Amino acid sequence: MRSCAGSSPTAAAGVTRGHRREQLSNRRGLAPVRSIAGPSFESIDSDDFLSPVTTLERDQVTKLVAQVSEKDGKVLHPDLLNPRLLEAQYAVRGELYLRAEELKKTKEIIYTNVGNPQALGAKPLTFVRQVIALCAAPFLLDDPNTPLLFPADAIERAKKIIASFGTGGVGGYTDSRGNPMIREEVADFIQARDGHRPSTEHIYLTDGASAGVRNVLQSIIRNEADAVLVPIPQYPLYSASIALYGGKLLPYELDEASGWGLDLDALTRTVAAARAEGYSVRALVFINPGNPTGQCLPGEEVARLVEWCAQQRVVLLSDEVYQELVYRKDRPFTSAYKALMESKYAQTAELISFHSVSKGTSGECGLRGGYHVFSNIHPDTVAQFYKLSSIGLCPNTIGQVVVSTLCNPPQPGDPSYELFAKERADELASLSRRAALVSGAFNSLPNMSVVPTEAAMYAFPQVHMPLGALAAAEAAGKKPDVFYCLAMLEEAGICTIPGSGFGQAAGSQHFRTTFLPREEVMEGFVQKFKAFHINFMEKFGPKKKQ
Amino acid sequence: MAAAASRGLSAAAGEAAQLRDVVAPKLSVATIKPRVVAAEYAVRGEIVRRAQLLEDELQAGKRKFPFEKVVWCNIGNPQILGQKPITYFRQVLCLCEYPQLLDHPQIGALFPADVIERARVFLSDIPGGVGAYSDSAGALVLRKQIAAAIERRDGYPASPDEIYLTDGASPAVHYMMEMLMRSGQDAFLVPIPQYPLYSATLTLYGGRLVPYELDEAAGWGLNVDNLQAQLAAAQQQGLCVRGLVVINPGNPTGQCLGADNQAEIVRFCEQHGLVLIADEVYQANIYAADRTFTSFKQMVRQLESSAMLVSLHSTSKGFVGECGRRGGYMEVVNFPPDVHEQILKLASINLCPNVSGQICCTLMMTPPEEGEPSYDLYVQERDAVLGSLARRAATLVEGLNQLEGVSCNAAEGALYAFPRITLPAKAVAAAEALGKPGDWLYCSELLEATGIVVVPGSGFGQAAGSLHFRTTFLPPEEDIEGVVRKLGVFHKAFLERYGGL
């Protein structure tokens, strides 16, 4: 096998910075390969297939020529993969999960590691499922038996949605931004929620929120000097994607003592320091309601954050996928879009807001529906996002239909209204009770504390580890929080995620748990957890003052 | 994580930063990643956007057009053009999406017994049904069924651990390019003409496209000597070629490779340590009587080859045509286990492929069997679609070959014809004056005159000096004659307008 190590170093040296500039400026998409000598390269069309190489990569190119294409007899040796891929970490399915899968064979495991409600017995909203089932089986619409099985408004709704997809219904590719009628419904939903209406041109439907987040980060990050502010603790989608696209994650800590609040002065200092070091701080991720922290930011603080981003010339990426799950009546969800529209930056500050069908009372994780909204983003940049979406063709149509049913649910007077409202209210009330149950339990125990969950589906308690436990963790070669969570898994059969997967203030130890198991299971969770924790603390001795 | 802040900037990043603005500029095309801006995706490019605009205006009745409707021949999107979904697939999906129906006393009046049974098994085997995240590689029970189906297709075993369900086939290509392209020195061999997903993802992930031409004169044949020459030329330039894309049956070219040719390709990849991406999404679309589909997986096993293979399949094509469902899978063969872990990590960042699409993909691979209540209808629907596609392909290719200056290879497979067009010198000059290739001008005028949307060959790549366009033969049978006729009228007028050949 010929290895790339044998290549002439002049190949790299020949690709000077000036040469690259020329390539870049000459580019028209598919572009020439003439610079490569070869029998039939010349005969290829005038367009250049060579991808642009930014000036930044100059040094890497030199290194690369010395790189081999084979190691230990393997072309696909991990050392020879994209190093950014190897760096990317994704904690949701890490060591704990794998161990849990192993233990599952012999004992019962309570999974509280992923926000996956239906896997734990949550029921879907009936209306949503009726509509998607009819969209899947349009031949049922004309069947005389169908009205016996489906309410009239679900049938009407399915007809309207199928028609909006045009010939072919849900079986065709759609516009890469999603079905135009459904994007109108999203705009209506936002208007009803916020009193302001975005243009449908700025609403993009996606396969869950993750796809949108990845497209945006892929575009924003040009190289390792581009930084994105990410809260600590954070949802690992952000750290993993930033690593994958080669950017710099700039952490800012949420303040646990003030209920995971935002400290804008500290943020300002973080940004100033990063800029002094040469970073281009491009964007700030904020997750509201918080994951894994479960806080809901008061409206006036959202407004301050929006202003801060505007003043700092930082694009606000507002992850609002938990907006439906808010348990404190005195602290309703305020969208960044509403705060923006009511600020003096309404026409200028750049904002991208994300939502999903996975995380409301319906919890339709598997159907992969979501959307994002661009505010004050340059129109040509919006067009680039359109193109990027088109490389994946389109978001799945069933996920789009779910977005439709949730943004435009049955209204009072509709046959499905009462059941829909009841299913939603019952689930919300039950989640609220479960949130109180776990928060109460954690705060009743020694050596731990939790900011009571106000929203979302998570609690993120802090564990005050005794010195003995820290020593034992070190001896086992584990981070203290991983050590604690593994012990919890082995002894109580509870699968959680260590705080280090999300990031935590130096020296502190946390774990994230959902409270998604059904209420009766959660009671058992609390009992098992308490027994484990007390036993753990007794075993590892006197409490360490934090 | 917090420690990362105190670590500060590495020296390299600090130096790099001096080259660029420090205060973040407003988000604009000039300030987003150049690779994103550079990526092109012709199937949904400028002409398609123009067509969308015309359709909107047409429907709004804003102005008069010389045509009654826009005919979308730009993309293999069969159901939009009236192809009916396979009833059995939709019935099972319907029940999986609304499981309460299974408990309804009237259920037997609406669904055949095998559909009901199939849905029950899926719902009991997939934890949380379609509403829960599955394993990131796809639900294990579905991967097992697909592995068994591959084994039936090829006669060689398949492992569920080597199968990753995906949202359509596209994510698989994204994963591979993202994983293998370390820098601008890493490259992939891609056919010319090619499907633009490959050029777009290579640009996006910063790799280089090393083209190899298919031989139009030999029915778009793939010559391994040509691969060899291109590989050597690329290596001479210091490029590190990591893999080879083969699209079989071909897109946009519609050819179907012979088994001997496939064997050569597998050996070539093995010899040079290349990852073979076998895009086999058209495996059910084969029309030439003397051609059968052989999967590259079968060939790798038959040759007992250690070649690294990624075989792609999708629910969007074939006679299934479930584009909107975004179902698909990749089978990843002869990869080291730790690289599988990296693929799984990439997949896990997106959580999981949509579960409804996963079920659809499994159904495609495991349709009703003889003796089951749904079997006859399934076979009838399948054969009707494939028979009609074969007739439409023949009608279209025959019609194209009658036009002056147009030649088109027979479409042995897939959903496309890729005719070569010779244009008058004046037309080429007119296009040049607009800064566009000649085929763009042709396709653009075709759209304005007839409402027929096709894609210029330059979007797929073509041999120097040659011009083509890609058209699907998906319009319904009753319309295809009309498409051929309108094309003929337009073509004649176009040649006349630009002074003839």
Side-chain angles (χ1 to χ4, degrees):
Chain A
M1 182 183 309
R2 182 179 170 154
S3 95
C4 297
S7 308
S8 152
T10 53
V15 192
T16 62
R17 192 193 295 189
H19 177 70
R20 289 222 188 80
R21 284 242 173 83
E22 192 180 287
Q23 272 183 9
L24 280 171
S25 60
N26 284 342
R27 290 193 48 76
R28 282 176 294 136
L30 304 174
V33 251
R34 276 198 211 93
S35 53
I36 299 178
S40 56
F41 284 87
E42 280 295 329
S43 61
I44 301 298
D45 189 40
S46 59
D47 284 12
D48 183 336
F49 280 102
L50 292 181
S51 301
V53 182
T54 63
T55 48
L56 192 72
E57 286 168 337
R58 194 163 35 109
D59 306 307
Q60 296 168 355
V61 170
T62 320
K63 277 183 229 141
L64 249 179
V65 174
Q67 224 169 44
V68 289
S69 66
E70 191 184 5
K71 190 169 176 181
D72 301 339
K74 291 289 181 195
V75 174
L76 285 188
H77 192 282
D79 289 356
L80 302 179
L81 302 180
N82 184 343
R84 291 170 178 169
L85 170 60
L86 303 179
E87 276 163 31
Q89 296 284 333
Y90 198 64
V92 173
R93 305 213 165 171
E95 183 181 359
L96 264 288
Y97 177 77
L98 296 175
R99 180 68 187 140
E101 290 292 287
E102 206 42 51
L103 286 175
K104 190 170 76 172
K105 293 168 188 163
T106 53
K107 71 192 275 189
E108 195 181 330
I109 303 292
I110 302 178
Y111 285 91
T112 64
N113 57 319
V114 187
N116 194 7
Q118 293 191 29
L120 299 170
K123 292 276 171 289
L125 296 170
T126 303
F127 177 77
V128 172
R129 292 306 190 88
Q130 287 169 333
V131 173
I132 63 171
L134 287 169
C135 288
F139 41 83
L140 286 184
L141 293 169
D142 305 322
D143 192 302
N145 286 307
T146 299
L148 301 174
L149 281 79
F150 293 87
D153 56 343
I155 296 172
E156 276 318 299
R157 197 54 189 287
K159 284 183 178 166
K160 186 180 162 203
I161 292 174
I162 290 170
S164 76
F165 278 103
T167 315
V170 296
Y173 294 125
T174 67
D175 187 296
S176 304
R177 298 166 297 185
N179 176 318
M181 182 193 82
I182 297 172
R183 285 154 60 212
E184 288 286 347
E185 291 178 314
V186 172
D188 293 343
F189 163 77
I190 293 170
Q191 173 151 45
R193 185 191 70 192
D194 295 343
H196 306 276
R197 193 174 200 281
S199 157
T200 54
E201 291 297 299
H202 296 145
I203 296 171
Y204 281 36
L205 304 184
T206 49
D207 287 315
S210 311
V213 167
R214 291 190 63 180
N215 275 356
V216 167
L217 289 174
Q218 181 160 33
S219 308
I220 286 183
I221 297 167
R222 297 162 297 181
N223 56 57
E224 62 262 41
D226 278 342
V228 178
L229 286 155
V230 172
I232 297 301
Q234 57 110 23
Y235 180 56
L237 166 67
Y238 296 100
S239 49
S241 303
I242 292 167
L244 209 51
Y245 299 126
K248 163 74 179 171
L249 186 150
L250 207 56
Y252 66 94
E253 280 181 22
L254 300 175
D255 181 15
E256 186 167 7
S258 67
W260 299 115
L262 259 177
D263 181 346
L264 291 180
D265 294 333
L267 253 182
T268 306
R269 289 192 297 274
T270 302
V271 170
R275 285 178 171 159
E277 283 188 89
Y279 284 115
S280 180
V281 183
R282 307 271 286 164
L284 176 140
V285 173
F286 192 66
I287 310 174
N288 183 41
N291 175 8
T293 46
Q295 91 288 14
C296 185
L297 200 68
E300 58 276 13
E301 284 195 43
V302 177
R304 275 198 288 275
L305 176 64
V306 165
E307 289 206 355
W308 183 90
C309 289
Q311 287 157 359
Q312 292 284 339
R313 306 270 304 279
V314 163
V315 181
L316 176 56
L317 307 179
S318 191
D319 175 340
E320 301 175 343
V321 300
Y322 297 97
Q323 60 185 268
E324 194 191 341
L325 302 182
V326 176
Y327 311 118
R328 266 178 68 173
K329 291 207 166 53
D330 61 333
R331 185 155 301 171
F333 166 73
T334 303
S335 76
Y337 177 71
K338 180 178 167 70
L340 171 71
M341 294 312 287
E342 292 167 8
S343 78
K344 60 181 173 183
Y345 302 103
Q347 304 305 320
T348 53
E350 295 158 274
L351 164 70
I352 306 174
S353 314
F354 300 88
H355 198 11
S356 160
V357 303
S358 303
K359 303 302 181 186
T361 44
S362 70
E364 293 289 10
C365 299
L367 296 175
R368 314 305 294 124
Y371 70 78
H372 55 268
V373 184
F374 299 110
S375 304
N376 297 322
I377 303 296
H378 194 292
D380 293 347
T381 303
V382 174
Q384 292 295 326
F385 286 118
Y386 190 3
K387 183 181 72 183
L388 205 50
S389 307
S390 79
I391 300 177
L393 290 162
C394 72
N396 88 85
T397 46
I398 298 299
Q400 296 187 40
V401 176
V402 179
V403 171
S404 165
T405 56
L406 293 177
C407 285
N408 185 9
Q411 297 301 307
D414 292 348
S416 297
Y417 176 74
E418 280 186 22
L419 178 64
F420 185 86
K422 181 177 185 310
E423 286 173 339
R424 237 180 176 172
D426 286 354
E427 185 61 15
L428 198 60
S430 168
L431 282 167
S432 182
R433 286 192 296 273
R434 284 178 263 166
L437 176 73
V438 294
S439 296
F442 292 150
N443 276 331
S444 74
L445 289 169
N447 293 56
M448 74 183 298
S449 61
V450 71
V451 174
T453 298
E454 303 169 342
M457 39 180 80
Y458 312 103
F460 196 65
Q462 179 163 178
V463 180
H464 308 289
M465 299 267 278
L467 285 172
L470 295 176
E474 200 176 347
K478 304 281 183 198
K479 290 178 183 166
D481 58 344
V482 174
F483 180 77
Y484 178 87
C485 289
L486 279 170
M488 191 195 322
L489 178 60
E490 300 286 341
E491 287 165 37
I494 296 171
C495 181
T496 57
I497 300 180
S500 47
F502 303 91
Q504 51 198 351
S508 70
Q509 316 298 338
H510 298 76
F511 65 91
R512 186 189 84 168
T513 178
T514 71
F515 38 87
L516 289 172
R518 307 315 293 167
E519 279 188 86
E520 57 280 11
V521 182
M522 280 317 289
E523 297 281 355
F525 166 93
V526 166
Q527 296 315 317
K528 286 179 178 171
F529 176 77
K530 278 185 173 172
F532 153 74
H533 181 79
I534 289 166
N535 183 39
F536 183 93
M537 291 304 160
E538 276 171 8
K539 183 171 170 189
F540 291 105
K543 172 185 162 187
K544 181 202 169 203
K545 281 279 173 215
Q546 294 276 322
Chain B
M1 195 74 56
S6 55
R7 230 184 289 134
L9 262 173
S10 70
E15 277 166 38
Q18 287 167 10
L19 300 171
R20 47 190 54 76
D21 45 331
V22 164
V23 171
K26 194 170 168 71
L27 211 51
S28 75
V29 172
T31 66
I32 61 175
K33 180 180 276 179
R35 287 172 185 172
V36 171
V37 180
E40 286 286 339
Y41 199 59
V43 175
R44 297 206 159 192
E46 188 183 351
I47 287 189
V48 179
R49 288 197 293 275
R50 172 74 184 154
Q52 188 61 58
L53 197 74
L54 293 185
E55 186 173 75
D56 292 347
E57 288 182 4
L58 193 73
Q59 282 168 358
K62 276 186 186 161
R63 61 184 174 98
K64 279 229 174 294
F65 287 90
F67 48 86
E68 285 160 11
K69 61 176 180 185
V70 172
V71 183
W72 299 96
C73 295
N74 59 305
I75 187 164
N77 195 5
Q79 294 192 25
I80 286 293
L81 295 168
Q83 182 177 313
K84 291 276 172 289
I86 300 291
T87 304
Y88 174 81
F89 297 170
R90 291 300 192 90
Q91 287 172 325
V92 176
L93 286 166
C94 173
L95 290 176
C96 289
E97 284 162 7
Y98 185 35
Q100 275 167 268
L101 278 181
L102 289 168
D103 303 328
H104 199 284
Q106 295 294 321
I107 182 74
L110 282 171
F111 296 91
D114 56 340
V115 164
I116 296 170
E117 182 52 25
R118 197 74 197 274
R120 275 194 207 284
V121 172
F122 278 138
L123 287 168
S124 75
D125 288 354
I126 303 172
V130 299
Y133 296 129
S134 70
D135 287 351
S136 298
L140 178 60
V141 56
L142 303 180
R143 286 185 280 128
K144 282 182 178 166
Q145 291 187 25
I146 290 172
I150 292 172
E151 184 166 349
R152 283 194 294 276
R153 181 192 68 189
D154 296 342
Y156 293 92
S159 161
D161 295 336
E162 295 187 325
I163 291 168
Y164 298 79
L165 285 150
T166 47
D167 288 310
S170 310
V173 178
H174 280 264
Y175 292 153
M176 284 304 138
M177 297 307 180
E178 190 155 28
M179 188 168 80
L180 294 172
M181 296 299 108
R182 296 164 297 179
S183 77
Q185 296 301 105
D186 278 339
F188 239 87
L189 279 159
V190 173
I192 295 300
Q194 57 113 18
Y195 180 57
L197 171 63
Y198 297 100
S199 50
T201 48
L202 275 169
T203 305
L204 208 52
Y205 297 112
R208 307 253 179 147
L209 191 154
V210 176
Y212 67 92
E213 276 183 32
L214 301 175
D215 183 1
E216 186 167 11
W220 298 114
L222 197 165
N223 183 337
V224 175
D225 292 341
N226 184 19
L227 284 179
Q228 193 79 56
Q230 293 299 84
L231 175 66
Q235 287 178 336
Q236 241 166 30
Q237 291 299 310
L239 294 183
C240 183
V241 178
R242 309 289 312 263
L244 164 71
V245 173
V246 175
I247 310 175
N248 181 45
N251 175 6
T253 44
Q255 89 288 12
C256 188
L257 298 177
D260 292 350
N261 200 191
Q262 287 180 274
E264 286 181 297
I265 294 165
V266 167
R267 287 201 194 91
F268 172 80
C269 288
E270 181 181 314
Q271 184 191 348
H272 296 285
L274 303 181
V275 173
L276 172 58
I277 296 185
D279 179 338
E280 300 177 329
V281 301
Y282 298 98
Q283 58 187 266
N285 297 105
I286 293 182
Y287 313 112
D290 58 339
R291 291 291 191 195
T292 49
F293 172 76
T294 303
S295 76
F296 272 102
K297 169 69 185 309
Q298 179 184 335
M299 193 50 73
V300 165
R301 289 289 182 254
Q302 205 170 304
L303 298 172
E304 295 176 357
S305 168
S306 63
M308 297 168 290
L309 169 70
V310 182
S311 158
L312 313 185
H313 200 6
S314 161
T315 62
S316 304
K317 311 301 172 188
F319 52 90
V320 181
E322 292 284 10
C323 301
R325 289 278 169 177
R326 314 306 296 118
Y329 75 80
M330 60 174 175
E331 188 184 11
V332 179
V333 181
N334 289 335
F335 274 47
D338 40 10
V339 176
H340 273 286
E341 278 170 32
Q342 296 296 328
I343 299 173
L344 198 56
K345 183 172 75 185
L346 264 182
S348 75
I349 298 176
N350 282 341
L351 292 159
C352 71
N354 87 87
V355 178
S356 195
Q358 294 184 36
I359 293 176
C360 190
C361 184
T362 308
L363 290 169
M364 169 181 75
M365 297 300 288
T366 57
E369 287 174 23
E370 205 161 354
E372 291 178 346
S374 299
Y375 180 74
D376 288 345
L377 179 63
Y378 167 78
V379 168
Q380 183 196 325
E381 289 175 337
R382 179 193 67 192
D383 293 351
V385 171
L386 290 176
S388 169
L389 283 171
R391 287 191 298 276
R392 283 180 268 168
T395 305
L396 183 69
V397 170
E398 193 189 321
L400 287 166
N401 276 325
Q402 282 170 6
L403 303 180
E404 186 187 0
V406 176
S407 66
C408 186
N409 278 318
E412 298 173 336
L415 302 172
Y416 314 101
F418 196 64
R420 178 170 184 163
I421 49 177
T422 308
L423 299 185
K426 275 189 189 168
V428 175
E432 246 168 45
L434 295 170
K436 300 283 188 187
D439 50 10
W440 182 90
L441 181 77
Y442 184 88
C443 296
S444 171
E445 292 198 10
L446 176 67
L447 169 65
E448 302 289 338
T450 65
I452 298 170
V453 193
V454 298
V455 186
S458 41
F460 302 91
Q462 49 199 350
S466 74
L467 298 172
H468 300 76
F469 65 86
R470 187 189 84 166
T471 175
T472 70
F473 38 84
L474 286 168
E477 222 157 340
E478 59 272 25
D479 291 356
I480 200 91
E481 296 274 3
V483 168
V484 170
R485 187 167 31 81
K486 283 182 187 170
L487 245 170
V489 172
F490 162 79
H491 187 78
K492 196 155 173 268
F494 184 91
L495 293 190
E496 275 169 18
R497 185 158 59 254
Y498 289 103
L501 287 177

